[in-house]
Amino acid sequence: MVNTILKEDVRFFSGNSNIPLSQAIVNYLGVSLSPAIVSRFPDGEIQVRCLESVRGKDVFIIQSTQTPAENLLELLILIDAVKRASARSITAVVPFFGYARQDRKTKSREPISAKLVSNLITTAGASRVVAVDLHAAQIQGFFDIPTDNLTAVLILGKYFRELNLENPVVVAPDVGAVQRATDFAKEIPNSTQAIFVKKRLSPYEVDTSRLIGEVEGKTVILVDDAIHTGNTLINAANEVLRRGAKAVYATATHGIFAQDSLKKFEGSPIKEIVVTDTLPVLSRPELISKVKVLSVAPLIGEAIKRIIMHESISELFEKKEI
Ligand code: R5P
């Protein structure tokens, strides 16, 4: 039945931000992406046209919104296009939800960019949002439409569980990562936990010298939501080794890998960095062999199936086989 519904009532479109993932999601579902022009006018502005009717259909638009901001604009314009073409429902599938770091005012005269972006997506016409590991769980509440914040923790946890690391300690590189690290630690038998009290000096600099917990003689797994410059993880790795850790691994859902971070990871003591494909890491020409990429396509595909079938999604937070 799900296959008939998928083919007859549902349509999938993708922006250009992460086509391999969009393709993997529709492959998982056994359908195809609908044809669309998502390109540029000669002056560089975004041009969109869906080349298939969506009248009365449930439409899923898959697009991560990493920098450049054109990725976000492509998503908004695609939503507008299908809204004006009389789609019955529009789900914005945003595997990496960008502009999420300014999610509250920490100083005067700062924006709350995450709220602004949520408003833009809703105003454009989305009726539902599916994201993966939002930078902060409360961003879910910035939307007044159904929003599913999926998590890759089970996928990453399964990978590390199967490594059977000796004497593992799961370390949150900052206080914001504690919940994620705690959820991850549940997947790693016999693991203990530790927490860094990170001080962010600037977007480029962090002080990771205060650690709560024991790492001496242990195998450290650093768990974060995202890797930007890599400084948080590399500083934390150096610090745990200084305190006697035997080896360090790192994992995060979103591998942004800004600037020369891949090069920095290559020269770092971290043995392996495990991320997912919410961003097109595998197409980075400077990718290094230490970086392992796991796919969230089955997770998102399964969530889409359940949305279509009006089934519960909460099981995806518990099931071990996805
Ligand atoms: C911060 O709150 C996030 O959870 C990450 O720790 C941060 O985005 C990592 O940034 P970077 O790689 O630049 O240290």
Side-chain angles (χ1 to χ4, degrees), residues 160 220-223 233 248-252 265 270 272-275:
F160 277 94
V220 168
I221 312 170
L222 295 163
V223 178
L233 293 180
V248 191
Y249 292 75
T251 185
F265 276 115
I270 302 177
E272 190 170 32
I273 302 107
V274 185
V275 295

Side-chain angles (χ1 to χ4, degrees), residues 262-283:
L262 283 164
K263 204 166 148 204
K264 285 194 295 189
F265 276 115
E266 181 77 308
S268 81
I270 302 177
K271 277 186 180 302
E272 190 170 32
I273 302 107
V274 185
V275 295
T276 76
D277 58 355
T278 56
L279 292 161
V281 181
L282 287 171
S283 10

Side-chain angles (χ1 to χ4, degrees), residues 101 135 174 198 200 203 224-232:
R101 276 183 294 178
H135 173 61
D174 59 28
K198 176 174 94 178
R200 184 164 279 289
D224 211 345
D225 65 317
I227 301 171
H228 289 87
T229 64
N231 290 341
T232 297

Side-chain angles (χ1 to χ4, degrees), residues 164-216:
N164 273 321
L165 298 173
E166 205 184 313
N167 212 355
V169 54
V170 176
V171 179
D174 59 28
V175 175
V178 172
Q179 185 59 53
R180 199 177 314 276
T182 305
D183 293 341
F184 180 91
K186 285 185 198 145
E187 302 302 308
I188 312 295
N190 307 318
S191 59
T192 54
Q193 273 186 261
I195 303 163
F196 272 103
V197 182
K198 176 174 94 178
K199 207 164 147 197
R200 184 164 279 289
L201 308 171
S202 79
Y204 304 94
E205 270 180 293
V206 286
D207 169 9
T208 333
S209 51
R210 292 176 61 204
L211 178 70
I212 303 166
E214 198 43 69
V215 293
E216 193 175 348

